[in-house]
Amino acid sequence: LENPYVTPYWLLRRGVHEKDWSYFQVGVRRRFSLAEALSLSLDYQVEFGNRRHLLVRYGEIDDGSDYSDGIQSSIFKVQVGWQALEWCEIFAGVHQFDVLSSRGREACAEHNACCGRADLTVGVLGCRLNF
């Protein structure tokens, strides 16, 4: 689905062992050429899932209530890439993760789990190899 405007994409994950959860991600990305070997990429994705996925991700809610199916979180990414070789791109960027589910945000506030952050900004540095 790549085109000159934005590239839409999707991802589906399904867990069957233990909690039987579903997770779906949709997003759009756009890459801009800044110079011959330099590019800027923007990416926005929204994550959806069933209540069992939130239960696996954030744990039980202290008041005994349950999660609901639907929108869970979003991620916005900004990356700058340098095409060092034809098959190697070095990139750096910033990713902003936000929990959009109100019950998910409440669970983040109640727990100290590794996934228990309602908002998180992450710096990235990497190398992408294309064969």
Side-chain angles (χ1 to χ4, degrees), residues 47 57-58 73-75 95-99 117-120:
E47 300 173 322
R57 188 179 246 184
Y58 301 115
S73 57
S74 70
I75 302 173
H95 298 184
Q96 178 63 43
F97 170 80
D98 299 297
V99 174
R117 296 179 188 252
D119 304 293
L120 182 63

Side-chain angles (χ1 to χ4, degrees), residues 2 8 10 12 25 30 41 48 53 60-61 78 91-93 98 116 125 127 129:
E2 196 161 335
W10 61 274
L12 174 63
Q25 182 183 82
R30 170 67 192 216
S41 297
F48 302 85
H53 183 256
E60 299 282 341
I61 300 174
V78 178
F91 63 90
D98 299 297
L125 180 61
C127 179
L129 306 177

Side-chain angles (χ1 to χ4, degrees), residues 57-71:
R57 188 179 246 184
Y58 301 115
E60 299 282 341
I61 300 174
D62 289 342
D63 67 8
S65 61
D66 204 357
Y67 299 102
S68 60
D69 300 337
I71 292 177

